[in-house]
Amino acid sequence: MKVVIGHLYADLMNIYGDRGNIIALTRRAQWAGVEVEVRNLALGQTLDPREYDILFVGGGQDREQSLIADDLQKVKGGSIVEAVEDGAVVLAVCGGYQLLGKYFKTGEDVVLPGIGLFDAWTVAGNRRCIGDAVVECSFTGERRTLVGFENHSGKTYLGPAARPIGKVLHGFGNNAEDGFEGAVYKNAYGTYLHGSILPKNAWLTDHLIASALRRRYGQNIVLPPVDAGLEERAHRAVIARIRGRGKMNTGAI
Amino acid sequence: MRLAAAIVAGKLVASLSRRLNFGGGTTLPGGITRRIDPGALGKMTGRLRQGCVVVTGTNGKTTTTRMISNMLQVAGLKPVHNRSGANLVSGVTSALLNSSSITGRPGGDIGLFEVDEANLPLVVAEAKPTVVVINNLFRDQLDRYGEIDYIAGLWRKALRQLPSSARVVLNADDPLVASLGKSLAASVLYFGIEDERYGRATLEHAADSKSCVSCGARYAYAVAFYGHVGKYSCPNCGAKRPIPDLGADSISLNGTVGAELLMRGPQGPLNVRLGLPGMYNVYNALAAAATGLALGLPLEDVKAGIEGFSAAFGRIERIQIEDKLIFLALVKNPIGFNEVLRTILLDGAQKDLLIVINDNIADGTDISWLWDVDFEVLQTRTRRVVVAGTRAEDMAVRLKYALVDPSKVEIEKDLPRALHAGLAGVEKEGTLYVLPTYTAMLEVREVIQRLGYVGKFWQD
């Protein structure tokens, strides 16, 4: 089996160790015996929605974000939506997440249009949400936690057609108001968590890889178990530190 | 009168702080003084006969400033210098305060201050420096400062406040830093590396400023020395690296020991033997030498100042422990970490490492930058890696995904035990390479100091 990963704007959207997500997907797929090909999708490059199993886009600075907003509108947006409708996996972090929603209104009141994959919109906030975050999720059918680090001033709000990725147990989440984090639509996930997010949340990495394989090779594909001892230890260490400071909201953990 | 009161209060706090063992009193006293007399910094720098020099940049501030300090002393000047590395405006004020008389007469004739990136505008506005030196701008602690374009914007504004009598020393090879030299009243002196032999054809992953400051197109690099630092040009708008006024030719890197280079400047060539390793220290030496030239120091004093220099505290340090050596090098961002790895691996031998990653505020609380470091180079060249610090587990995960053999990696959260474990694995006459983040470095030094091997840092 093989997965093809498209790394959108790898040169521009990479400010929070986003490469770690590509490394995590690649290694864990390889450890499960799956062949991996990573292709960079730069400004101006088109993509065939059927060719890609997983698309990833990371975070960027303001200057980069307006460049890619334009490219998403003119070049790639339609193909990304089409891929997701067809079951492809997408992971979008921070700035990338914002532009997969309907729009992002910046601090200068400029509206950057998004591609509307998520029923969500973002407005610039006046304080930065920075720090470790813990989110409780159940979209796989099991209760799980995500740990990561968030650093954003944009506040994202979800419309009725979007589901959040989970409930914030510690940190700010989408908008520091409603207690939810991220957005999920089919196999597309948007989140503010970096860290990078995938290495310390190996269950999510495996879930993304398995979802991609099922789309291409059939629903009964099961990913062989891959060791995640060290990753889970690092995951638990973050939770234990936050809990040690007495700062965790009540949750299942 | 107000200044005198402010100084007395500050000095009192400094003395108390040292006596109560709170540390060297390198920040708090300045803060108190500024509270009482907000104009204290400007009043004190105004009394420095030769004005003051301010040094900033992401990497190499402390090392560069200390080289300049050496040069000034060789030239017979007495610098007032925030040697401890306390580099916020309060730290700068503290340094002046500690040296000055109660009436505010400074105990030296020239100010020399390394300044935190985000504090540059404030220090420039108050201290009115005669020379401002900027070495580089990398992604560092984004959680603290926001984005690098934001920092560049702050610096641009600050430099535009400088009068025509001031001089600005800039790295020609860092596109964002070089661009700051445009439209200034102050005169600009550029430094850079001409010798292309240690450069690479492609940018490393961690490179930050890849797109043209003027038009946004991607720069073309004839050669990249480290990070986004190199010989670049914009294929779209034609923007180019300025020709350095002080350039380095014929560089020869000598492992972890040092480097030799030929500097070519307006006053002729200068052969320099540098006691610090790696390309990044070649840049630090160039920045220091260019500052010497901007101040009009004689070439032989510039040379003697650089050559007589031993590493700034903890940036790079060699400490003998019985029959083993500790090589200590600060790591604080991807570019710096890559340079340290590249430098220690130059000789191709198997290394023993202790990597200590903390996520305290002074380190940057976001450790996602570890994923931008090319740890893959360790796959074949490590005997053992002990990882410690508040984020030891994250570091171990990073090494796992860099395909460093897990049986060679050991997590030991307790620092004294980690150091023992690291040293125990090293053969006689061998070296343990200790790579800590900033607060981890302070802890490592404290542990080593308890063993009786290094002095307290604010005394050196």
Side-chain angles (χ1 to χ4, degrees):
Chain A
M1 290 187 290
K2 179 179 173 181
V3 290
V4 177
I5 301 173
H7 190 177
L8 293 148
Y9 317 110
D11 275 352
L12 295 170
M13 302 292 273
N14 61 7
I15 62 172
Y16 298 125
D18 294 305
R19 174 172 73 158
N21 294 316
I22 298 293
I23 295 174
L25 286 168
T26 304
R27 297 287 183 237
R28 293 195 73 76
Q30 286 168 342
W31 291 332
V34 176
E35 200 190 322
V36 179
E37 184 187 341
V38 179
R39 298 184 197 158
N40 287 341
L41 289 164
L43 286 180
Q45 268 179 280
T46 56
L47 67 127
D48 179 344
R50 285 158 307 175
E51 272 182 29
Y52 291 88
D53 301 293
I54 302 176
L55 293 169
F56 171 77
V57 57
Q61 307 194 39
D62 292 350
R63 185 168 63 161
E64 279 95 31
Q65 228 180 333
S66 58
L67 285 175
I68 79 146
D70 191 54
D71 189 74
L72 284 171
Q73 290 305 307
K74 292 180 185 150
V75 186
K76 298 190 183 66
S79 304
I80 295 171
V81 173
E82 203 180 310
V84 171
E85 292 298 341
D86 187 50
V89 170
V90 169
L91 177 65
V93 174
C94 204
Y97 166 40
Q98 292 169 340
L99 293 178
L100 297 197
K102 292 182 162 162
Y103 63 84
F104 172 35
K105 193 171 164 199
T106 70
E108 289 84 45
D109 271 348
V110 176
V111 175
L112 295 178
I115 63 170
L117 178 67
F118 300 119
D119 180 14
W121 58 94
T122 304
V123 292
N126 42 21
R127 71 163 171 157
R128 264 195 114 71
C129 300
I130 301 179
D132 287 311
V134 184
V135 173
E136 185 183 61
C137 314
S138 53
F139 57 80
T140 60
E142 272 178 85
R143 268 197 178 172
R144 298 282 204 169
T145 48
L146 287 174
V147 299
F149 193 95
E150 56 184 326
N151 183 352
H152 56 102
S153 54
K155 297 168 143 200
T156 300
Y157 298 90
L158 303 187
R163 278 185 299 140
I165 218 168
K167 197 174 112 191
V168 177
L169 299 184
H170 177 79
F172 301 93
N174 277 338
N175 49 44
E177 290 161 21
D178 61 22
F180 291 103
E181 156 56 23
V184 185
Y185 175 69
K186 296 200 170 181
N187 284 331
Y189 300 86
T191 180
Y192 276 116
L193 303 193
H194 59 271
S196 314
I197 183 173
L198 292 183
K200 271 201 303 287
N201 299 289
W203 68 266
L204 178 61
T205 317
D206 294 347
H207 173 74
L208 299 181
I209 296 166
S211 305
L213 292 174
R214 283 190 205 113
R215 170 196 178 214
R216 195 164 295 273
Y217 299 100
Q219 284 308 311
N220 34 20
I221 292 286
V222 180
L223 203 64
V226 173
D227 168 69
L230 203 51
E231 294 84 334
E232 282 162 13
R233 184 171 168 187
H235 182 111
R236 287 194 305 269
V238 174
I239 291 176
R241 278 178 80 199
I242 294 169
R243 226 199 243 148
R245 295 184 215 130
K247 285 186 172 170
M248 191 79 81
N249 296 339
T250 50
I253 55 167
Chain B
M1 234 3 253
R2 188 167 186 191
L3 180 63
I7 287 172
V8 170
K11 280 184 177 291
L12 202 64
V13 171
S15 148
L16 270 174
S17 168
R18 267 190 296 265
R19 216 165 295 169
L20 298 176
N21 231 351
F22 285 165
T26 49
T27 301
L28 184 64
I32 302 275
T33 299
R34 296 174 58 76
R35 191 75 65 81
I36 299 172
D37 183 355
L41 176 56
K43 287 180 193 167
M44 290 191 285
T45 54
R47 295 175 192 181
L48 290 161
R49 279 193 302 120
Q50 308 274 346
C52 65
V53 177
V54 163
V55 180
T56 195
T58 312
N59 288 342
K61 289 186 285 287
T62 303
T63 303
T64 304
T65 312
R66 289 193 165 206
M67 284 181 183
I68 298 169
S69 170
N70 245 25
M71 253 177 232
L72 294 170
Q73 291 174 52
V74 170
L77 290 166
K78 195 174 173 204
V80 178
H81 174 191
N82 56 339
R83 270 189 95 76
S84 69
N87 61 13
L88 302 180
V89 70
S90 53
V92 172
T93 310
S94 290
L96 276 158
L97 171 73
N98 290 337
S99 87
S100 73
S101 68
I102 291 173
T103 55
R105 182 173 314 131
D109 29 33
I110 183 164
L112 175 60
F113 309 118
E114 76 157 87
V115 173
D116 170 87
E117 295 91 299
N119 271 247
L120 185 75
L122 195 56
V123 173
V124 165
E126 294 190 16
K128 303 194 171 37
T130 37
V131 181
V132 176
V133 186
I134 302 183
N135 196 344
N136 51 53
L137 178 55
F138 296 114
R139 183 178 301 167
D140 186 24
Q141 309 183 20
L142 276 171
D143 57 328
R144 193 148 61 108
Y145 296 141
E147 303 158 343
I148 62 174
D149 288 340
Y150 169 74
I151 294 295
L154 287 181
W155 289 353
R156 187 164 283 128
K157 239 190 243 170
L159 296 182
R160 290 195 174 151
Q161 308 302 314
L162 292 169
S164 60
S165 58
R167 307 208 70 180
V168 177
V169 175
L170 298 174
N171 187 343
D173 299 348
D174 182 324
L176 209 47
V177 169
S179 77
L180 300 172
K182 280 185 215 146
S183 334
L184 300 184
S187 57
V188 180
L189 191 75
Y190 287 105
F191 63 89
I193 291 181
E194 297 293 8
D195 184 351
E196 299 185 356
R197 286 171 305 153
Y198 286 96
R200 279 159 298 167
T202 52
L203 290 178
E204 65 193 285
H205 166 78
D208 297 313
S209 303
K210 292 174 279 200
S211 44
C212 176
V213 181
S214 314
C215 75
R218 214 185 140 94
Y219 285 120
Y221 276 82
V223 64
F225 295 116
Y226 78 115
H228 56 250
V229 174
K231 292 188 178 174
Y232 54 89
S233 60
C234 176
N236 184 46
C237 73
K240 271 205 304 260
R241 156 188 186 258
I243 295 168
D245 302 290
L246 182 72
D249 264 329
S250 316
I251 297 171
S252 127
L253 296 182
N254 182 11
T256 55
V257 178
E260 283 172 57
L261 62 148
L262 175 68
M263 294 187 187
R264 286 187 197 282
Q267 283 142 45
L270 187 65
N271 269 304
V272 176
R273 186 186 293 267
L274 187 61
L276 296 175
M279 283 301 260
Y280 58 109
N281 280 312
V282 170
Y283 274 106
N284 293 335
L286 278 170
T291 307
L293 298 181
L295 289 167
L297 301 183
L299 275 186
E300 58 268 28
D301 293 351
V302 169
K303 178 181 162 80
I306 293 174
E307 293 191 339
F309 175 80
S310 64
F313 118 81
R315 264 62 187 181
I316 288 184
E317 220 167 343
R318 297 176 186 85
I319 303 151
Q320 193 72 39
I321 302 219
E322 312 289 320
D323 53 0
K324 294 170 183 174
L325 190 72
I326 284 182
F327 178 96
L328 184 69
L330 173 71
V331 290
K332 51 176 196 162
N333 48 38
I335 301 287
F337 211 141
N338 280 342
E339 275 306 293
V340 166
L341 290 177
R342 198 172 290 140
T343 302
I344 67 179
L345 296 175
L346 266 176
D347 66 3
Q350 296 280 308
K351 303 294 184 213
D352 294 276
L353 280 87
L354 167 60
I355 303 178
V356 195
I357 305 297
N358 279 355
D359 66 346
N360 299 314
I361 288 168
D363 305 296
T365 54
D366 181 1
I367 46 86
S368 60
W369 62 273
L370 292 177
W371 292 90
D372 290 323
V373 181
D374 298 327
F375 288 107
E376 287 73 8
V377 296
L378 293 176
Q379 280 165 14
T380 56
R381 281 183 278 180
T382 32
R383 196 166 12 238
R384 199 150 82 116
V385 190
V386 180
V387 294
T390 55
R391 288 290 187 163
E393 295 89 349
D394 283 84
M395 188 59 228
V397 170
R398 178 68 188 97
L399 292 173
K400 175 178 176 178
Y401 282 79
L403 303 184
V404 175
D405 180 354
S407 69
K408 292 179 176 174
V409 178
E410 184 187 333
I411 300 178
E412 176 53 74
K413 299 276 280 191
D414 180 76
L415 191 57
R417 267 191 282 177
L419 198 65
H420 276 126
L423 279 169
V426 174
E427 328 169 312
K428 265 192 173 179
E429 314 299 328
T431 301
L432 176 66
Y433 294 85
V434 181
L435 313 180
T437 59
Y438 184 76
T439 68
M441 179 189 67
L442 301 183
E443 292 169 16
V444 167
R445 281 187 60 112
E446 200 188 313
V447 172
I448 296 175
Q449 187 194 315
R450 263 189 264 140
L451 301 170
Y453 296 94
V454 281
K456 287 187 178 180
F457 71 82
W458 59 87
Q459 293 171 345
D460 63 5

